[in-house]
Amino acid sequence: MNTPDEVIARLDAVDYLVDDGLAMAIFLALRLGKPLLLEGEPGVGKTAAAKALADALDTPFIRLQCYEGLTAGEALYEWNYQRQLLHIRLGHASDDSSLFTDDFLLERPILRAVRHDGPTPPVLLIDEIDRADDEFEALLFEFLGEASVTVPELGTFAATRPPVVVLTSNRSRDLHDALRRRCLYHWIEFPAPDRAASIVRRAVPAATEPLIRDATEFIGRVRGLELDKAPGLAETIDWVAALVALGVADLAAGDVPRTIGTIAKTPDDRILVAEAVTRESPQ
């Protein structure tokens, strides 16, 4: 991808629409070989951007889903203790060093991305890094800065072709400054109604133009409410797909309450969305 315009075209070819800002961020991350940190509200397409990038580059996609308590053994590497124990029982272990070789090393997502030996580097998604602990962030500094992972018993593995690294965060907590320094950064906004309509049109081709227009405009207004969880693109697509399944071609006020579970995900949000429908309905 030699220009931001080519980024837009290549992602468009795999049905992922980007604006100029995100296209520039992806282009610079690829050109400079830097990790890209994407932040934004849940549902704006951060994870989908990494998947689409892998499709556009025709390269393997490796995902690390972060969560509280995530350890190095689950993210970077660990030892195959069962095989090591069997090795000992069979009398093949002359000393401890024979137990810590490549034969017993289990690659987890980050080490797998570093040691990938294919013709093109993989796309590694470190998804929802804000869900992991502060200590886990520190484990990433070497990898993010040098595209390498150190295994004390074996040494340092450095990528011959550094992976394309995308991190995502929903800002549930602040990330360490040292992590941010190692990354390029882009904030993804909720798309404007016309761009949202283009995305939904591709995702739900059976939907009529009036339905797509009215649904995306309604979602845009709903996001102005004080919701616990504002509906994102994923909810918009689910809602339009549900309406199409019900045979709806033109959105009516009564269609919202019976499909409200696709866009409002808490009891309080259901009430607020229902009240918004009532206010907009003609008396």
mmCIF file of all heavy atoms in Angstrom, residues 31-83:
data_model
loop_
_atom_site.group_PDB
_atom_site.id
_atom_site.type_symbol
_atom_site.label_atom_id
_atom_site.label_comp_id
_atom_site.label_asym_id
_atom_site.label_seq_id
_atom_site.Cartn_x
_atom_site.Cartn_y
_atom_site.Cartn_z
ATOM 1 N N ARG A 31 4.187 2.081 6.540
ATOM 2 C CA ARG A 31 5.397 2.648 5.958
ATOM 3 C C ARG A 31 6.519 2.766 7.001
ATOM 4 O O ARG A 31 7.694 2.517 6.685
ATOM 5 C CB ARG A 31 5.081 4.017 5.361
ATOM 6 C CG ARG A 31 6.278 4.740 4.753
ATOM 7 C CD ARG A 31 6.948 3.919 3.642
ATOM 8 N NE ARG A 31 6.054 3.627 2.546
ATOM 9 C CZ ARG A 31 5.909 4.399 1.475
ATOM 10 N NH1 ARG A 31 6.583 5.516 1.367
ATOM 11 N NH2 ARG A 31 5.095 4.028 0.493
ATOM 12 N N LEU A 32 6.168 3.140 8.226
ATOM 13 C CA LEU A 32 7.178 3.350 9.261
ATOM 14 C C LEU A 32 7.466 2.088 10.072
ATOM 15 O O LEU A 32 8.405 2.068 10.869
ATOM 16 C CB LEU A 32 6.735 4.478 10.208
ATOM 17 C CG LEU A 32 6.485 5.839 9.564
ATOM 18 C CD1 LEU A 32 5.992 6.831 10.602
ATOM 19 C CD2 LEU A 32 7.746 6.352 8.877
ATOM 20 N N GLY A 33 6.628 1.062 9.898
ATOM 21 C CA GLY A 33 6.821 -0.156 10.663
ATOM 22 C C GLY A 33 6.527 0.013 12.139
ATOM 23 O O GLY A 33 7.184 -0.601 12.989
ATOM 24 N N LYS A 34 5.552 0.851 12.454
ATOM 25 C CA LYS A 34 5.221 1.136 13.855
ATOM 26 C C LYS A 34 3.890 0.493 14.229
ATOM 27 O O LYS A 34 2.980 0.389 13.396
ATOM 28 C CB LYS A 34 5.098 2.652 14.051
ATOM 29 C CG LYS A 34 6.374 3.424 13.760
ATOM 30 C CD LYS A 34 7.290 3.451 14.962
ATOM 31 C CE LYS A 34 6.741 4.376 16.049
ATOM 32 N NZ LYS A 34 7.681 4.481 17.180
ATOM 33 N N PRO A 35 3.730 0.072 15.493
ATOM 34 C CA PRO A 35 2.415 -0.395 15.948
ATOM 35 C C PRO A 35 1.410 0.756 15.872
ATOM 36 O O PRO A 35 1.765 1.926 16.026
ATOM 37 C CB PRO A 35 2.664 -0.816 17.408
ATOM 38 C CG PRO A 35 4.139 -1.009 17.512
ATOM 39 C CD PRO A 35 4.753 -0.040 16.549
ATOM 40 N N LEU A 36 0.155 0.390 15.661
ATOM 41 C CA LEU A 36 -0.920 1.380 15.562
ATOM 42 C C LEU A 36 -1.922 1.131 16.678
ATOM 43 O O LEU A 36 -2.495 0.043 16.779
ATOM 44 C CB LEU A 36 -1.618 1.290 14.205
ATOM 45 C CG LEU A 36 -2.847 2.182 13.995
ATOM 46 C CD1 LEU A 36 -2.482 3.651 14.141
ATOM 47 C CD2 LEU A 36 -3.480 1.922 12.638
ATOM 48 N N LEU A 37 -2.105 2.132 17.523
ATOM 49 C CA LEU A 37 -3.081 2.065 18.611
ATOM 50 C C LEU A 37 -4.361 2.750 18.152
ATOM 51 O O LEU A 37 -4.357 3.947 17.851
ATOM 52 C CB LEU A 37 -2.530 2.738 19.866
ATOM 53 C CG LEU A 37 -3.500 2.919 21.039
ATOM 54 C CD1 LEU A 37 -4.037 1.565 21.531
ATOM 55 C CD2 LEU A 37 -2.828 3.680 22.181
ATOM 56 N N LEU A 38 -5.452 1.983 18.105
ATOM 57 C CA LEU A 38 -6.756 2.520 17.732
ATOM 58 C C LEU A 38 -7.634 2.604 18.967
ATOM 59 O O LEU A 38 -7.813 1.607 19.676
ATOM 60 C CB LEU A 38 -7.430 1.617 16.695
ATOM 61 C CG LEU A 38 -6.716 1.450 15.354
ATOM 62 C CD1 LEU A 38 -7.493 0.476 14.470
ATOM 63 C CD2 LEU A 38 -6.541 2.794 14.652
ATOM 64 N N GLU A 39 -8.173 3.775 19.226
ATOM 65 C CA GLU A 39 -9.115 3.954 20.327
ATOM 66 C C GLU A 39 -10.427 4.495 19.775
ATOM 67 O O GLU A 39 -10.482 5.070 18.685
ATOM 68 C CB GLU A 39 -8.551 4.894 21.387
ATOM 69 C CG GLU A 39 -7.433 4.271 22.206
ATOM 70 C CD GLU A 39 -7.076 5.093 23.429
ATOM 71 O OE1 GLU A 39 -7.188 6.336 23.386
ATOM 72 O OE2 GLU A 39 -6.662 4.482 24.430
ATOM 73 N N GLY A 40 -11.483 4.316 20.558
ATOM 74 C CA GLY A 40 -12.806 4.779 20.165
ATOM 75 C C GLY A 40 -13.846 4.053 20.983
ATOM 76 O O GLY A 40 -13.533 3.079 21.694
ATOM 77 N N GLU A 41 -15.074 4.504 20.889
ATOM 78 C CA GLU A 41 -16.157 3.853 21.612
ATOM 79 C C GLU A 41 -16.342 2.427 21.093
ATOM 80 O O GLU A 41 -16.023 2.135 19.936
ATOM 81 C CB GLU A 41 -17.460 4.641 21.434
ATOM 82 C CG GLU A 41 -17.427 6.052 22.000
ATOM 83 C CD GLU A 41 -17.284 6.083 23.500
ATOM 84 O OE1 GLU A 41 -17.713 5.097 24.162
ATOM 85 O OE2 GLU A 41 -16.739 7.066 24.035
ATOM 86 N N PRO A 42 -16.861 1.537 21.949
ATOM 87 C CA PRO A 42 -17.144 0.176 21.460
ATOM 88 C C PRO A 42 -18.083 0.216 20.260
ATOM 89 O O PRO A 42 -19.043 0.987 20.227
ATOM 90 C CB PRO A 42 -17.821 -0.492 22.671
ATOM 91 C CG PRO A 42 -17.322 0.266 23.859
ATOM 92 C CD PRO A 42 -17.178 1.688 23.391
ATOM 93 N N GLY A 43 -17.756 -0.586 19.254
ATOM 94 C CA GLY A 43 -18.639 -0.699 18.101
ATOM 95 C C GLY A 43 -18.326 0.214 16.937
ATOM 96 O O GLY A 43 -19.099 0.280 15.979
ATOM 97 N N VAL A 44 -17.178 0.933 16.982
ATOM 98 C CA VAL A 44 -16.862 1.827 15.865
ATOM 99 C C VAL A 44 -16.049 1.123 14.775
ATOM 100 O O VAL A 44 -15.755 1.723 13.738
ATOM 101 C CB VAL A 44 -16.101 3.088 16.347
ATOM 102 C CG1 VAL A 44 -16.995 3.951 17.217
ATOM 103 C CG2 VAL A 44 -14.809 2.714 17.057
ATOM 104 N N GLY A 45 -15.647 -0.123 15.003
ATOM 105 C CA GLY A 45 -14.957 -0.866 13.952
ATOM 106 C C GLY A 45 -13.464 -1.011 14.132
ATOM 107 O O GLY A 45 -12.739 -1.213 13.157
ATOM 108 N N LYS A 46 -12.982 -0.940 15.374
ATOM 109 C CA LYS A 46 -11.531 -1.034 15.622
ATOM 110 C C LYS A 46 -11.025 -2.443 15.301
ATOM 111 O O LYS A 46 -10.036 -2.614 14.574
ATOM 112 C CB LYS A 46 -11.225 -0.673 17.074
ATOM 113 C CG LYS A 46 -11.691 0.719 17.483
ATOM 114 C CD LYS A 46 -11.291 1.064 18.894
ATOM 115 C CE LYS A 46 -11.976 0.202 19.942
ATOM 116 N NZ LYS A 46 -13.443 0.394 19.978
ATOM 117 N N THR A 47 -11.677 -3.440 15.859
ATOM 118 C CA THR A 47 -11.269 -4.829 15.612
ATOM 119 C C THR A 47 -11.441 -5.178 14.139
ATOM 120 O O THR A 47 -10.577 -5.823 13.529
ATOM 121 C CB THR A 47 -12.090 -5.786 16.484
ATOM 122 O OG1 THR A 47 -11.833 -5.491 17.868
ATOM 123 C CG2 THR A 47 -11.731 -7.241 16.201
ATOM 124 N N ALA A 48 -12.545 -4.737 13.565
ATOM 125 C CA ALA A 48 -12.806 -5.019 12.148
ATOM 126 C C ALA A 48 -11.744 -4.398 11.259
ATOM 127 O O ALA A 48 -11.425 -4.945 10.193
ATOM 128 C CB ALA A 48 -14.193 -4.504 11.758
ATOM 129 N N ALA A 49 -11.174 -3.266 11.674
ATOM 130 C CA ALA A 49 -10.125 -2.626 10.874
ATOM 131 C C ALA A 49 -8.908 -3.533 10.755
ATOM 132 O O ALA A 49 -8.314 -3.665 9.673
ATOM 133 C CB ALA A 49 -9.725 -1.290 11.490
ATOM 134 N N ALA A 50 -8.518 -4.171 11.845
ATOM 135 C CA ALA A 50 -7.360 -5.070 11.819
ATOM 136 C C ALA A 50 -7.644 -6.296 10.955
ATOM 137 O O ALA A 50 -6.787 -6.736 10.174
ATOM 138 C CB ALA A 50 -6.981 -5.487 13.237
ATOM 139 N N LYS A 51 -8.836 -6.852 11.095
ATOM 140 C CA LYS A 51 -9.198 -8.014 10.277
ATOM 141 C C LYS A 51 -9.210 -7.648 8.794
ATOM 142 O O LYS A 51 -8.707 -8.402 7.947
ATOM 143 C CB LYS A 51 -10.578 -8.535 10.694
ATOM 144 C CG LYS A 51 -10.632 -9.149 12.080
ATOM 145 C CD LYS A 51 -12.046 -9.622 12.403
ATOM 146 C CE LYS A 51 -12.124 -10.270 13.775
ATOM 147 N NZ LYS A 51 -13.511 -10.675 14.119
ATOM 148 N N ALA A 52 -9.778 -6.493 8.475
ATOM 149 C CA ALA A 52 -9.845 -6.065 7.078
ATOM 150 C C ALA A 52 -8.447 -5.800 6.531
ATOM 151 O O ALA A 52 -8.164 -6.086 5.356
ATOM 152 C CB ALA A 52 -10.708 -4.817 6.954
ATOM 153 N N LEU A 53 -7.564 -5.264 7.366
ATOM 154 C CA LEU A 53 -6.202 -4.998 6.919
ATOM 155 C C LEU A 53 -5.498 -6.302 6.552
ATOM 156 O O LEU A 53 -4.791 -6.367 5.544
ATOM 157 C CB LEU A 53 -5.434 -4.254 8.007
ATOM 158 C CG LEU A 53 -3.990 -3.863 7.682
ATOM 159 C CD1 LEU A 53 -3.934 -2.996 6.424
ATOM 160 C CD2 LEU A 53 -3.363 -3.125 8.867
ATOM 161 N N ALA A 54 -5.694 -7.335 7.366
ATOM 162 C CA ALA A 54 -5.105 -8.632 7.047
ATOM 163 C C ALA A 54 -5.656 -9.165 5.728
ATOM 164 O O ALA A 54 -4.911 -9.708 4.901
ATOM 165 C CB ALA A 54 -5.366 -9.619 8.182
ATOM 166 N N ASP A 55 -6.957 -9.009 5.518
ATOM 167 C CA ASP A 55 -7.562 -9.455 4.252
ATOM 168 C C ASP A 55 -7.005 -8.666 3.073
ATOM 169 O O ASP A 55 -6.702 -9.232 2.014
ATOM 170 C CB ASP A 55 -9.083 -9.299 4.306
ATOM 171 C CG ASP A 55 -9.750 -10.304 5.238
ATOM 172 O OD1 ASP A 55 -9.116 -11.331 5.556
ATOM 173 O OD2 ASP A 55 -10.895 -10.057 5.654
ATOM 174 N N ALA A 56 -6.874 -7.358 3.254
ATOM 175 C CA ALA A 56 -6.389 -6.507 2.165
ATOM 176 C C ALA A 56 -4.937 -6.822 1.815
ATOM 177 O O ALA A 56 -4.541 -6.734 0.653
ATOM 178 C CB ALA A 56 -6.532 -5.035 2.541
ATOM 179 N N LEU A 57 -4.153 -7.179 2.819
ATOM 180 C CA LEU A 57 -2.748 -7.520 2.588
ATOM 181 C C LEU A 57 -2.571 -8.982 2.211
ATOM 182 O O LEU A 57 -1.459 -9.402 1.886
ATOM 183 C CB LEU A 57 -1.928 -7.212 3.847
ATOM 184 C CG LEU A 57 -1.812 -5.736 4.247
ATOM 185 C CD1 LEU A 57 -1.144 -5.622 5.614
ATOM 186 C CD2 LEU A 57 -1.034 -4.955 3.200
ATOM 187 N N ASP A 58 -3.665 -9.760 2.290
ATOM 188 C CA ASP A 58 -3.625 -11.193 2.003
ATOM 189 C C ASP A 58 -2.551 -11.879 2.851
ATOM 190 O O ASP A 58 -1.680 -12.586 2.356
ATOM 191 C CB ASP A 58 -3.363 -11.437 0.518
ATOM 192 C CG ASP A 58 -3.599 -12.902 0.126
ATOM 193 O OD1 ASP A 58 -4.348 -13.592 0.853
ATOM 194 O OD2 ASP A 58 -3.034 -13.349 -0.886
ATOM 195 N N THR A 59 -2.639 -11.646 4.148
ATOM 196 C CA THR A 59 -1.640 -12.163 5.079
ATOM 197 C C THR A 59 -2.347 -12.762 6.291
ATOM 198 O O THR A 59 -3.513 -12.426 6.562
ATOM 199 C CB THR A 59 -0.679 -11.022 5.494
ATOM 200 O OG1 THR A 59 0.488 -11.578 6.094
ATOM 201 C CG2 THR A 59 -1.346 -10.076 6.485
ATOM 202 N N PRO A 60 -1.692 -13.649 7.036
ATOM 203 C CA PRO A 60 -2.348 -14.258 8.199
ATOM 204 C C PRO A 60 -2.766 -13.227 9.243
ATOM 205 O O PRO A 60 -2.093 -12.196 9.430
ATOM 206 C CB PRO A 60 -1.273 -15.202 8.753
ATOM 207 C CG PRO A 60 -0.402 -15.513 7.590
ATOM 208 C CD PRO A 60 -0.378 -14.262 6.763
ATOM 209 N N PHE A 61 -3.865 -13.522 9.909
ATOM 210 C CA PHE A 61 -4.387 -12.670 10.982
ATOM 211 C C PHE A 61 -4.239 -13.424 12.295
ATOM 212 O O PHE A 61 -4.718 -14.545 12.438
ATOM 213 C CB PHE A 61 -5.857 -12.337 10.709
ATOM 214 C CG PHE A 61 -6.534 -11.573 11.809
ATOM 215 C CD1 PHE A 61 -6.210 -10.249 12.045
ATOM 216 C CD2 PHE A 61 -7.497 -12.172 12.608
ATOM 217 C CE1 PHE A 61 -6.838 -9.529 13.055
ATOM 218 C CE2 PHE A 61 -8.131 -11.467 13.618
ATOM 219 C CZ PHE A 61 -7.801 -10.144 13.843
ATOM 220 N N ILE A 62 -3.547 -12.811 13.247
ATOM 221 C CA ILE A 62 -3.325 -13.411 14.566
ATOM 222 C C ILE A 62 -3.944 -12.472 15.596
ATOM 223 O O ILE A 62 -3.671 -11.271 15.600
ATOM 224 C CB ILE A 62 -1.820 -13.601 14.860
ATOM 225 C CG1 ILE A 62 -1.178 -14.503 13.807
ATOM 226 C CG2 ILE A 62 -1.617 -14.185 16.253
ATOM 227 C CD1 ILE A 62 0.340 -14.587 13.920
ATOM 228 N N ARG A 63 -4.763 -13.032 16.474
ATOM 229 C CA ARG A 63 -5.467 -12.188 17.451
ATOM 230 C C ARG A 63 -5.130 -12.602 18.875
ATOM 231 O O ARG A 63 -5.145 -13.783 19.217
ATOM 232 C CB ARG A 63 -6.984 -12.293 17.243
ATOM 233 C CG ARG A 63 -7.812 -11.477 18.234
ATOM 234 C CD ARG A 63 -9.278 -11.557 17.899
ATOM 235 N NE ARG A 63 -10.102 -10.761 18.793
ATOM 236 C CZ ARG A 63 -11.394 -10.554 18.627
ATOM 237 N NH1 ARG A 63 -12.018 -11.077 17.572
ATOM 238 N NH2 ARG A 63 -12.078 -9.819 19.483
ATOM 239 N N LEU A 64 -4.821 -11.604 19.691
ATOM 240 C CA LEU A 64 -4.664 -11.791 21.130
ATOM 241 C C LEU A 64 -5.763 -10.997 21.816
ATOM 242 O O LEU A 64 -5.746 -9.761 21.779
ATOM 243 C CB LEU A 64 -3.287 -11.315 21.599
ATOM 244 C CG LEU A 64 -3.082 -11.295 23.123
ATOM 245 C CD1 LEU A 64 -3.193 -12.694 23.709
ATOM 246 C CD2 LEU A 64 -1.743 -10.659 23.485
ATOM 247 N N GLN A 65 -6.720 -11.691 22.416
ATOM 248 C CA GLN A 65 -7.802 -11.023 23.140
ATOM 249 C C GLN A 65 -7.356 -10.794 24.580
ATOM 250 O O GLN A 65 -7.040 -11.733 25.302
ATOM 251 C CB GLN A 65 -9.071 -11.879 23.125
ATOM 252 C CG GLN A 65 -10.234 -11.284 23.903
ATOM 253 C CD GLN A 65 -10.678 -9.946 23.327
ATOM 254 O OE1 GLN A 65 -10.975 -9.847 22.147
ATOM 255 N NE2 GLN A 65 -10.742 -8.915 24.169
ATOM 256 N N CYS A 66 -7.308 -9.539 24.990
ATOM 257 C CA CYS A 66 -6.831 -9.203 26.330
ATOM 258 C C CYS A 66 -7.963 -9.286 27.350
ATOM 259 O O CYS A 66 -9.132 -9.077 27.022
ATOM 260 C CB CYS A 66 -6.219 -7.804 26.334
ATOM 261 S SG CYS A 66 -4.770 -7.635 25.274
ATOM 262 N N TYR A 67 -7.581 -9.565 28.574
ATOM 263 C CA TYR A 67 -8.527 -9.620 29.687
ATOM 264 C C TYR A 67 -7.745 -9.482 30.980
ATOM 265 O O TYR A 67 -6.504 -9.620 31.006
ATOM 266 C CB TYR A 67 -9.320 -10.930 29.679
ATOM 267 C CG TYR A 67 -8.461 -12.169 29.649
ATOM 268 C CD1 TYR A 67 -7.997 -12.755 30.823
ATOM 269 C CD2 TYR A 67 -8.096 -12.750 28.442
ATOM 270 C CE1 TYR A 67 -7.195 -13.889 30.801
ATOM 271 C CE2 TYR A 67 -7.301 -13.879 28.402
ATOM 272 C CZ TYR A 67 -6.853 -14.438 29.584
ATOM 273 O OH TYR A 67 -6.051 -15.554 29.543
ATOM 274 N N GLU A 68 -8.443 -9.193 32.066
ATOM 275 C CA GLU A 68 -7.779 -9.020 33.350
ATOM 276 C C GLU A 68 -7.119 -10.333 33.772
ATOM 277 O O GLU A 68 -7.734 -11.384 33.728
ATOM 278 C CB GLU A 68 -8.801 -8.595 34.409
ATOM 279 C CG GLU A 68 -8.186 -8.253 35.749
ATOM 280 C CD GLU A 68 -9.210 -7.733 36.751
ATOM 281 O OE1 GLU A 68 -10.385 -7.557 36.357
ATOM 282 O OE2 GLU A 68 -8.839 -7.515 37.912
ATOM 283 N N GLY A 69 -5.858 -10.249 34.162
ATOM 284 C CA GLY A 69 -5.128 -11.436 34.576
ATOM 285 C C GLY A 69 -4.363 -12.126 33.466
ATOM 286 O O GLY A 69 -3.738 -13.165 33.696
ATOM 287 N N LEU A 70 -4.389 -11.571 32.256
ATOM 288 C CA LEU A 70 -3.651 -12.155 31.135
ATOM 289 C C LEU A 70 -2.163 -12.220 31.479
ATOM 290 O O LEU A 70 -1.580 -11.256 31.978
ATOM 291 C CB LEU A 70 -3.861 -11.303 29.891
ATOM 292 C CG LEU A 70 -3.170 -11.762 28.599
ATOM 293 C CD1 LEU A 70 -3.721 -13.094 28.134
ATOM 294 C CD2 LEU A 70 -3.337 -10.703 27.514
ATOM 295 N N THR A 71 -1.541 -13.355 31.215
ATOM 296 C CA THR A 71 -0.148 -13.568 31.580
ATOM 297 C C THR A 71 0.733 -13.719 30.348
ATOM 298 O O THR A 71 0.250 -13.913 29.231
ATOM 299 C CB THR A 71 0.004 -14.829 32.448
ATOM 300 O OG1 THR A 71 -0.330 -15.979 31.650
ATOM 301 C CG2 THR A 71 -0.905 -14.773 33.668
ATOM 302 N N ALA A 72 2.049 -13.683 30.602
ATOM 303 C CA ALA A 72 3.007 -13.882 29.515
ATOM 304 C C ALA A 72 2.849 -15.259 28.906
ATOM 305 O O ALA A 72 2.993 -15.437 27.694
ATOM 306 C CB ALA A 72 4.432 -13.688 30.038
ATOM 307 N N GLY A 73 2.531 -16.260 29.734
ATOM 308 C CA GLY A 73 2.367 -17.615 29.236
ATOM 309 C C GLY A 73 1.213 -17.755 28.268
ATOM 310 O O GLY A 73 1.217 -18.643 27.411
ATOM 311 N N GLU A 74 0.236 -16.880 28.386
ATOM 312 C CA GLU A 74 -0.920 -16.935 27.493
ATOM 313 C C GLU A 74 -0.755 -16.020 26.284
ATOM 314 O O GLU A 74 -1.424 -16.210 25.270
ATOM 315 C CB GLU A 74 -2.176 -16.530 28.267
ATOM 316 C CG GLU A 74 -2.535 -17.505 29.379
ATOM 317 C CD GLU A 74 -3.506 -16.907 30.381
ATOM 318 O OE1 GLU A 74 -3.258 -15.790 30.864
ATOM 319 O OE2 GLU A 74 -4.512 -17.573 30.681
ATOM 320 N N ALA A 75 0.119 -15.032 26.382
ATOM 321 C CA ALA A 75 0.263 -14.047 25.312
ATOM 322 C C ALA A 75 1.557 -14.197 24.519
ATOM 323 O O ALA A 75 1.565 -13.985 23.305
ATOM 324 C CB ALA A 75 0.200 -12.638 25.900
ATOM 325 N N LEU A 76 2.658 -14.537 25.183
ATOM 326 C CA LEU A 76 3.950 -14.580 24.513
ATOM 327 C C LEU A 76 4.382 -16.025 24.232
ATOM 328 O O LEU A 76 4.497 -16.437 23.096
ATOM 329 C CB LEU A 76 5.019 -13.882 25.357
ATOM 330 C CG LEU A 76 5.017 -12.345 25.295
ATOM 331 C CD1 LEU A 76 3.871 -11.763 26.115
ATOM 332 C CD2 LEU A 76 6.342 -11.802 25.824
ATOM 333 N N TYR A 77 4.615 -16.782 25.296
ATOM 334 C CA TYR A 77 5.071 -18.167 25.143
ATOM 335 C C TYR A 77 4.933 -18.881 26.483
ATOM 336 O O TYR A 77 4.761 -18.250 27.538
ATOM 337 C CB TYR A 77 6.552 -18.211 24.723
ATOM 338 C CG TYR A 77 7.472 -17.742 25.834
ATOM 339 C CD1 TYR A 77 8.000 -18.650 26.758
ATOM 340 C CD2 TYR A 77 7.791 -16.395 25.990
ATOM 341 C CE1 TYR A 77 8.812 -18.217 27.803
ATOM 342 C CE2 TYR A 77 8.597 -15.965 27.020
ATOM 343 C CZ TYR A 77 9.110 -16.879 27.929
ATOM 344 O OH TYR A 77 9.901 -16.452 28.956
ATOM 345 N N GLU A 78 4.990 -20.188 26.443
ATOM 346 C CA GLU A 78 5.125 -20.986 27.653
ATOM 347 C C GLU A 78 5.755 -22.314 27.284
ATOM 348 O O GLU A 78 5.944 -22.630 26.105
ATOM 349 C CB GLU A 78 3.782 -21.192 28.358
ATOM 350 C CG GLU A 78 2.743 -21.963 27.578
ATOM 351 C CD GLU A 78 1.461 -22.120 28.380
ATOM 352 O OE1 GLU A 78 1.523 -22.124 29.620
ATOM 353 O OE2 GLU A 78 0.393 -22.251 27.765
ATOM 354 N N TRP A 79 6.104 -23.088 28.305
ATOM 355 C CA TRP A 79 6.745 -24.381 28.088
ATOM 356 C C TRP A 79 5.731 -25.503 28.154
ATOM 357 O O TRP A 79 4.779 -25.442 28.927
ATOM 358 C CB TRP A 79 7.855 -24.606 29.117
ATOM 359 C CG TRP A 79 8.971 -23.630 28.974
ATOM 360 C CD1 TRP A 79 9.210 -22.542 29.747
ATOM 361 C CD2 TRP A 79 9.977 -23.637 27.963
ATOM 362 N NE1 TRP A 79 10.305 -21.859 29.295
ATOM 363 C CE2 TRP A 79 10.811 -22.523 28.195
ATOM 364 C CE3 TRP A 79 10.275 -24.482 26.892
ATOM 365 C CZ2 TRP A 79 11.901 -22.221 27.397
ATOM 366 C CZ3 TRP A 79 11.366 -24.185 26.089
ATOM 367 C CH2 TRP A 79 12.164 -23.080 26.340
ATOM 368 N N ASN A 80 5.940 -26.504 27.346
ATOM 369 C CA ASN A 80 5.058 -27.675 27.315
ATOM 370 C C ASN A 80 5.469 -28.605 28.447
ATOM 371 O O ASN A 80 6.301 -29.497 28.278
ATOM 372 C CB ASN A 80 5.166 -28.376 25.954
ATOM 373 C CG ASN A 80 4.113 -29.444 25.785
ATOM 374 O OD1 ASN A 80 3.663 -30.067 26.759
ATOM 375 N ND2 ASN A 80 3.711 -29.696 24.552
ATOM 376 N N TYR A 81 4.886 -28.366 29.614
ATOM 377 C CA TYR A 81 5.306 -29.107 30.813
ATOM 378 C C TYR A 81 4.983 -30.592 30.708
ATOM 379 O O TYR A 81 5.724 -31.427 31.238
ATOM 380 C CB TYR A 81 4.649 -28.496 32.051
ATOM 381 C CG TYR A 81 5.072 -27.073 32.308
ATOM 382 C CD1 TYR A 81 4.173 -26.012 32.221
ATOM 383 C CD2 TYR A 81 6.408 -26.781 32.620
ATOM 384 C CE1 TYR A 81 4.575 -24.707 32.433
ATOM 385 C CE2 TYR A 81 6.813 -25.472 32.838
ATOM 386 C CZ TYR A 81 5.893 -24.447 32.747
ATOM 387 O OH TYR A 81 6.299 -23.154 32.952
ATOM 388 N N GLN A 82 3.903 -30.935 30.043
ATOM 389 C CA GLN A 82 3.565 -32.348 29.901
ATOM 390 C C GLN A 82 4.624 -33.084 29.089
ATOM 391 O O GLN A 82 5.043 -34.191 29.448
ATOM 392 C CB GLN A 82 2.187 -32.505 29.250
ATOM 393 C CG GLN A 82 1.040 -32.053 30.150
ATOM 394 C CD GLN A 82 -0.316 -32.256 29.497
ATOM 395 O OE1 GLN A 82 -0.430 -32.216 28.277
ATOM 396 N NE2 GLN A 82 -1.333 -32.479 30.307
ATOM 397 N N ARG A 83 5.075 -32.483 28.000
ATOM 398 C CA ARG A 83 6.123 -33.113 27.193
ATOM 399 C C ARG A 83 7.446 -33.162 27.948
ATOM 400 O O ARG A 83 8.212 -34.132 27.829
ATOM 401 C CB ARG A 83 6.311 -32.352 25.878
ATOM 402 C CG ARG A 83 5.206 -32.588 24.856
ATOM 403 C CD ARG A 83 5.645 -32.126 23.486
ATOM 404 N NE ARG A 83 6.797 -32.905 23.012
ATOM 405 C CZ ARG A 83 7.509 -32.546 21.948
ATOM 406 N NH1 ARG A 83 7.207 -31.451 21.256
ATOM 407 N NH2 ARG A 83 8.523 -33.287 21.562
#
